[in-house]
């Protein structure tokens, strides 16, 4: 769900096991098959998740827990946060220059939005 979404420039959500019923899913390889969501933005993803989550009489593995208001949680204002990234990963010579440019553009936007973003070393 997440990788195809990234390739297409949309939001992909792979929910926790049991969050969404698997009833009706054709299992090609049961441990790999996953019900998920592809949407234009996080709010739409939250709305769809609210609708398709919850108990299902035809799937005993579906969660019985109350379904939270996902969309409301995704659209609320959040205070500035501190974000770190591995400097070696972004400075790696093998990293595609376009990916690095997109990443650094995101870093700039996050900083403009008031977040503290800084590289940290990760020697491996």
């Amino acid at each position: 769900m997440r990788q195809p979404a990234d390739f297409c420039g949309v939001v992909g959500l792979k929910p926790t096991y049991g969050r969404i019923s698997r009833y009706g899913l054709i299992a090609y390889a049961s441990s790999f098959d996953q019900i998920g969501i592809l949407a234009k933005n996080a709010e739409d993803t939250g709305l769809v998740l609210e609708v398709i989550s919850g108990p299902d009489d035809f799937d005993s593995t579906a969660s019985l827990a109350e379904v939270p208001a996902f969309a409301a949680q995704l659209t609320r204002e959040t205070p500035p946060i501190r974000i770190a990234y591995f400097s070696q990963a972004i400075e790696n010579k093998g990293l595609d220059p376009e990916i690095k440019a997109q990443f650094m553009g995101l870093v700039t936007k996050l900083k403009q939005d008031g977040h503290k973003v800084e590289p940290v070393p990760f020697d491996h």
Side-chain angles (χ1 to χ4, degrees):
M1 295 307 306
R2 296 168 295 201
Q3 189 174 29
D6 185 52
F7 288 149
C8 297
V10 297
V11 174
L13 176 75
K14 178 187 171 290
T16 300
Y17 184 82
R19 171 53 62 196
I20 299 172
S21 169
R22 294 179 305 143
Y23 178 73
L25 174 68
I26 298 172
Y28 293 107
S30 63
S31 62
F32 297 116
D33 292 340
Q34 185 73 44
I35 301 287
I37 301 167
L38 297 173
K40 287 183 178 181
N41 56 52
E43 182 180 10
D44 289 351
T45 304
L47 289 170
V48 172
L49 186 58
E50 287 177 32
V51 172
I52 65 176
S53 291
D56 183 343
D57 292 339
F58 299 105
D59 183 355
S60 63
T61 66
S63 174
L64 301 175
E66 183 178 336
V67 177
F70 294 112
Q73 293 174 5
L74 291 168
T75 57
R76 71 175 189 258
E77 289 292 321
T78 56
I81 59 174
R82 185 175 176 201
I83 303 166
Y85 65 89
F86 298 138
S87 54
Q88 286 92 335
I90 202 66
E91 296 302 328
N92 188 305
K93 293 177 185 175
L95 182 64
D96 184 293
E98 185 178 344
I99 292 173
K100 181 178 180 178
Q102 290 288 324
F103 180 83
M104 294 312 294
L106 176 61
V107 168
T108 300
K109 182 183 180 322
L110 288 167
K111 287 180 178 180
Q112 289 171 347
D113 290 346
H115 302 289
K116 183 176 183 178
V117 184
E118 54 191 21
V120 294
F122 184 70
D123 298 323
H124 36 107

